[in-house]
Amino acid sequence: MGGDDPQNIYDDPTFFAGYEQLDRFRAGWSDAFEWPAFSALLPPFSGKRVLDLGCGAGRLAHYAATHGAADVLGIDLSERMLAVARADCCHPRLRFQRAAMETVSFPPTTLDVVLSSLALHYVADYAGLMRRVSDWLTADGVLVFSVEHPVYLSRALPEGWVADVAGKPRYWTLDRYGDEGSREENWLTSGVRKHHRMVSTLLNGVIDAGLALECVIEPMPDPEMLAREPDWIYERKRPFCLLVRARKQ
Amino acid sequence: MGGDDPQNIYDDPTFFAGYEQLDRFRAGWSDAFEWPAFSALLPPFSGKRVLDLGCGAGRLAHYAATHGAADVLGIDLSERMLAVARADCCHPRLRFQRAAMETVSFPPTTLDVVLSSLALHYVADYAGLMRRVSDWLTADGVLVFSVEHPVYLSRALPEGWVADVAGKPRYWTLDRYGDEGSREENWLTSGVRKHHRMVSTLLNGVIDAGLALECVIEPMPDPEMLAREPDWIYERKRPFCLLVRARKQ
């Protein structure tokens, strides 16, 4: 399979066995590092038609449904993740469908809100997807997404950090920031393919699709988060993810 | 002088003696790494009223004047830099004025284009300056600026790079990305004060001032640039500067 085809890594048994151990899986989703910042970007859902691209275990789509959305569709390529989503996130106005972000299609101006949480870095043709999302959105429709930060994806050493004498993160190592394209990394298993794009490319993809950037966030831990997870202090050293809200013009 | 007051470091004799040795000084300005990308963002100048914030040796302001601008004002805090600007950049539609970006003022909607090259990282109240710029701009007026990239300003080691066995840059070291505020560094002299802001803060400052982001660029060397300066290949490892074009709505 080429570097531009979707990779269904979440159905890889080794990957999935690792992923389901993550704190952010299932009930832990709302304790994820970026959730306070992500949720602050969400628009009112009341009466809205919502799409979640790369919905995974379905919690974000379920959140939209339980916050008043008229209709929510979560799509994902992974049967394993969709099985979890269907088991955990039953709601009368929420559907899940197996589909690739790269090829799924909707009629123009039929969606009010498009969401995506840490999934767009799996897509090769990001600019094309942004144009399709813009086409699907109604006037004044909203896109909110998170991706792994390009600085996070551009670590020089496999583990990213250089440690101090106590073994704690001292500084982050950065390399190949300007070299965009497909990258394979070891995360839960080998050969996990992600697509690196600079921050500027991510933002211009939104703008060039006809969406107005409303807010860009690089979440950092606040005192409340640090009280819960003291080791998140090291997250201040480098950005982990990039959050974007944009509006159809 | 406090961390929020303007620091007139360009009039420091040691700093200036170092700065005037830089390749980008005077005639070398158009060979600067980011100039091809910066110039590509510039709007047509014909008939426009233009302000250059932190104009330094005046070449960018002169470029606007010689490309048809009706009136160009370059402001800078440094007498030494303004003396160079006045010597090098004489033009009937170009004026230079000693003023701080932090306090300079213009009537609302009297400027068509505001420019700033590698100067806004010296300003403490960036969000306030963006609001003032937005106030000065006419409807459809354009702001184009470059700043040192927050990743460049967040180097962990003084020199930024960890070298390989041949002494060439291996990777960039990153720390304190999330810790915004005043920082002093050694660059040509000690105690040069810059203000670190995350990429997201820089962009939200533009948006929140009522300007629409049109383009965000993190310049990388192309083959032509590399033919001229082979060592610029290492610039691909981390972003050096951030360029923004925005338009008054």
Side-chain angles (χ1 to χ4, degrees):
Chain A
M1 196 150 73
D4 282 1
D5 295 320
Q7 178 191 43
N8 186 6
I9 195 74
Y10 283 75
D11 274 349
D12 177 280
T14 305
F15 182 94
F16 187 83
Y19 192 87
E20 67 180 352
Q21 302 303 318
L22 297 183
D23 287 343
R24 67 167 59 230
F25 193 56
R26 302 189 92 151
W29 76 287
S30 63
D31 293 330
F33 175 78
E34 76 282 8
W35 174 246
F38 193 95
S39 61
L41 290 182
L42 295 174
F45 285 114
S46 183
K48 304 295 187 188
R49 294 159 293 178
V50 179
L51 170 67
D52 183 1
L53 288 167
C55 66
R59 298 284 178 155
L60 176 60
H62 188 254
Y63 179 91
T66 56
H67 284 72
D71 181 65
V72 184
L73 175 64
I75 69 146
D76 205 283
L77 196 59
S78 163
E79 294 278 23
R80 288 174 191 261
M81 295 298 275
L82 289 172
V84 174
R86 290 184 177 114
D88 285 9
C89 302
C90 191
H91 189 280
R93 295 190 299 278
L94 171 58
R95 296 168 295 130
F96 294 104
Q97 178 186 320
R98 184 164 190 246
M101 292 183 276
E102 291 83 350
T103 53
V104 72
S105 180
F106 301 92
T109 66
T110 54
L111 295 170
D112 303 300
V113 180
V114 174
L115 307 175
S116 184
S117 173
L118 296 180
L120 299 181
H121 45 258
Y122 296 118
V123 174
D125 183 13
Y126 167 83
L129 179 53
M130 287 298 108
R131 287 192 295 270
R132 289 157 56 226
V133 165
S134 180
D135 190 45
W136 304 333
L137 282 172
T138 54
D140 219 36
V142 173
L143 167 68
V144 179
F145 71 80
S146 61
V147 285
E148 282 191 13
H149 200 288
V151 162
Y152 184 80
L153 254 171
S154 298
R155 49 192 176 276
L157 304 180
E159 65 279 18
W161 298 112
V162 166
D164 63 17
V165 289
K168 294 294 190 182
R170 180 177 167 215
Y171 57 75
W172 186 253
T173 62
L174 187 65
D175 193 11
R176 300 195 298 154
Y177 182 81
D179 296 334
E180 302 191 306
S182 174
R183 293 181 179 183
E184 292 200 350
E185 62 180 44
N186 293 314
W187 178 48
L188 308 175
T189 189
S190 62
V192 178
R193 191 188 311 130
K194 295 176 180 174
H195 295 272
H196 170 64
R197 287 170 278 260
M198 298 191 288
V199 170
S200 44
T201 301
L202 290 166
L203 299 176
N204 292 335
V206 171
I207 296 167
D208 294 345
L211 304 169
L213 281 173
E214 288 196 332
C215 197
V216 181
I217 301 289
E218 293 159 302
M220 290 291 153
D222 62 24
E224 187 187 332
M225 292 166 70
L226 290 172
R228 188 155 48 89
E229 293 279 358
D231 273 359
W232 278 351
I233 192 71
Y234 304 111
E235 297 294 320
R236 299 189 67 83
K237 290 175 175 285
R238 58 97 184 93
F240 157 61
C241 63
L242 182 75
L243 276 50
V244 170
R245 186 177 70 208
R247 192 175 294 269
K248 179 78 169 286
Q249 301 190 280
Chain B
M1 197 150 72
D4 283 0
D5 295 320
Q7 179 192 43
N8 185 6
I9 195 74
Y10 283 76
D11 274 350
D12 177 280
T14 306
F15 182 93
F16 187 83
Y19 193 87
E20 67 180 352
Q21 302 303 317
L22 297 183
D23 286 343
R24 66 167 60 230
F25 193 55
R26 303 187 92 152
W29 77 287
S30 63
D31 292 330
F33 176 77
E34 77 282 6
W35 174 246
F38 193 95
S39 60
L41 290 182
L42 295 174
F45 285 115
S46 183
K48 303 296 188 187
R49 294 159 293 178
V50 179
L51 170 68
D52 184 1
L53 289 167
C55 65
R59 298 284 177 153
L60 176 59
H62 189 254
Y63 179 91
T66 57
H67 283 73
D71 181 66
V72 183
L73 175 63
I75 69 147
D76 205 283
L77 195 59
S78 164
E79 296 277 23
R80 288 174 190 262
M81 296 297 276
L82 288 173
V84 174
R86 290 185 176 115
D88 285 8
C89 302
C90 191
H91 189 281
R93 295 190 299 275
L94 171 58
R95 296 168 295 131
F96 294 104
Q97 179 186 318
R98 184 165 189 246
M101 293 183 275
E102 291 83 350
T103 52
V104 72
S105 180
F106 302 92
T109 65
T110 54
L111 295 170
D112 302 301
V113 180
V114 175
L115 307 174
S116 184
S117 173
L118 296 180
L120 299 182
H121 45 258
Y122 297 117
V123 174
D125 183 13
Y126 166 83
L129 178 54
M130 287 297 108
R131 286 191 297 270
R132 288 157 57 226
V133 165
S134 179
D135 190 45
W136 303 334
L137 282 172
T138 54
D140 218 36
V142 172
L143 167 68
V144 179
F145 71 80
S146 61
V147 286
E148 282 191 14
H149 200 288
V151 162
Y152 184 80
L153 255 172
S154 299
R155 49 192 176 277
L157 303 180
E159 66 278 20
W161 299 111
V162 165
D164 63 19
V165 288
K168 294 294 189 182
R170 181 177 167 216
Y171 58 76
W172 187 253
T173 61
L174 188 64
D175 192 11
R176 299 195 299 153
Y177 181 82
D179 297 334
E180 302 190 307
S182 174
R183 293 180 180 183
E184 292 200 350
E185 63 180 43
N186 293 315
W187 177 49
L188 308 176
T189 189
S190 62
V192 178
R193 191 189 310 132
K194 295 177 180 173
H195 295 272
H196 169 65
R197 288 169 277 261
M198 298 191 287
V199 170
S200 44
T201 301
L202 290 166
L203 299 176
N204 292 335
V206 172
I207 297 167
D208 294 345
L211 303 169
L213 281 172
E214 287 196 333
C215 199
V216 181
I217 300 288
E218 293 158 304
M220 290 291 152
D222 62 24
E224 187 187 333
M225 293 166 68
L226 290 171
R228 189 155 48 90
E229 292 280 358
D231 273 359
W232 278 350
I233 192 70
Y234 304 112
E235 297 293 320
R236 299 189 68 81
K237 291 176 174 284
R238 57 97 184 93
F240 157 60
C241 64
L242 181 76
L243 277 49
V244 170
R245 187 178 71 208
R247 193 175 292 270
K248 178 79 170 285
Q249 299 191 281

